[in-house]
Amino acid sequence: EAGVTQSPTHLIKTRGQQATLRCSPISGHTSVYWYQQALGLGLQFLLWYDEGEERNRGNFPPRFSGRQFPNYSSELNVNALELEDSALYLCASSSTSGGDQETQYFGPGTRLLVL
Amino acid sequence: QKEVEQDPGPLSVPEGAIVSLNCTYSNSAFQYFMWYRQYSRKGPELLMYTYSSGNKEDGRFTAQVDKSSKYISLFIRDSQPSDSATYLCARSGAGSYQLTFGKGTKLSVIP
């Protein structure tokens, strides 16, 4: 069974630009979560999508946004990039059936560097 | 106070040692607890998942939850160099499914 996939693996942008990151969940999973892992800050929750809807967002500014497509894949957009947005962006997926909602499986991440 | 506290280490042990990794949490509404392992430049990999207090064992790994003291632990027996990684504790629950993580403990197992 294929795991969570993310693209691109690396992304280099300059301040003020926009970045788009993509995630494909495990087949059969309907929930997608985005996390930011910045140096020294640990993993922080960004966004949660389920069945195409945004269910919750973490303590991040509105320039962090995203969406979930009908096939449950997801996109994270970061507008007006700032230097401190440089981080590893991780996507996770989980199933919302069978009482297994809390078990999240992570992709390899997209490493974003803002210059 | 951060919701999940974890000693960042680093922790260095000889091969074959028993490793103890620990986290504390502050919100007693938390229900589910996980341990993830993250190798350098990789995504976190789910190791253990537990709901109730007590122990859960999987091979060389044992997860322990003490809800009365809000303490979670991961024990690794017969540690191997391949166990060298950062170990992240996490919790979910309290009405939401997103995870709150500790900052991770970096473990090195020396051959």
Side-chain angles (χ1 to χ4, degrees):
Chain A
E1 179 186 271
V4 177
T5 59
Q6 291 186 245
S7 64
T9 54
H10 293 81
L11 192 56
I12 300 175
K13 295 285 186 179
T14 56
R15 283 174 57 189
Q17 284 189 315
Q18 178 195 42
T20 298
L21 289 64
R22 296 180 177 85
C23 170
S24 291
I26 291 171
S27 177
H29 285 187
T30 60
S31 273
V32 170
Y33 306 80
W34 287 95
Y35 294 86
Q36 182 196 65
Q37 189 175 34
L39 202 61
L41 293 180
L43 268 147
Q44 297 185 81
F45 167 70
L46 263 168
L47 290 158
W48 169 29
Y49 292 96
D50 182 58
E51 297 285 357
E53 300 286 331
E54 181 180 305
R55 301 297 183 183
N56 204 1
R57 65 180 294 129
N59 189 24
F60 282 84
R63 58 190 186 83
F64 287 84
S65 65
R67 53 181 171 164
Q68 187 178 33
F69 300 99
N71 66 353
Y72 304 114
S73 67
S74 177
E75 197 173 86
L76 174 69
N77 294 293
V78 188
N79 294 318
L81 284 165
E82 300 178 2
L83 296 178
E84 53 264 35
D85 296 333
S86 295
L88 181 67
Y89 288 84
L90 291 157
C91 171
S93 74
S94 72
S95 170
T96 51
S97 63
D100 200 25
Q101 295 92 325
E102 290 76 19
T103 306
Q104 296 182 20
Y105 299 90
F106 282 82
T110 293
R111 192 163 294 277
L112 173 64
L113 177 62
V114 183
L115 301 174
Chain B
Q1 182 186 16
K2 200 176 189 304
E3 291 186 8
V4 180
E5 298 279 358
Q6 183 175 11
D7 185 343
L11 180 62
S12 184
V13 300
E15 183 175 355
I18 296 174
V19 176
S20 173
L21 303 166
N22 306 295
C23 289
T24 58
Y25 62 95
S26 57
N27 187 337
S28 55
F30 298 163
Q31 299 179 11
Y32 301 92
F33 303 91
M34 299 90 177
W35 283 96
Y36 284 84
R37 176 174 63 193
Q38 187 174 24
Y39 291 112
S40 181
R41 311 189 79 79
K42 302 284 188 183
E45 168 195 9
L46 181 65
L47 274 179
M48 304 283 285
Y49 166 90
T50 184
Y51 169 73
S52 60
S53 283
N55 294 351
K56 183 175 181 180
E57 194 172 315
D58 184 2
R60 296 185 295 111
F61 298 89
T62 299
Q64 189 175 77
V65 176
D66 183 344
K67 288 192 173 180
S68 62
S69 58
K70 300 188 184 68
Y71 203 79
I72 54 178
S73 301
L74 178 70
F75 299 96
I76 307 174
R77 290 183 299 281
D78 187 27
S79 56
Q80 302 294 309
S82 58
D83 294 328
S84 298
T86 296
Y87 289 80
L88 301 156
C89 61
R91 67 84 183 156
S92 74
S96 64
Y97 294 137
Q98 68 261 21
L99 300 178
T100 299
F101 284 86
K103 286 195 174 182
T105 300
K106 187 171 183 179
L107 171 69
S108 295
V109 180
I110 311 301

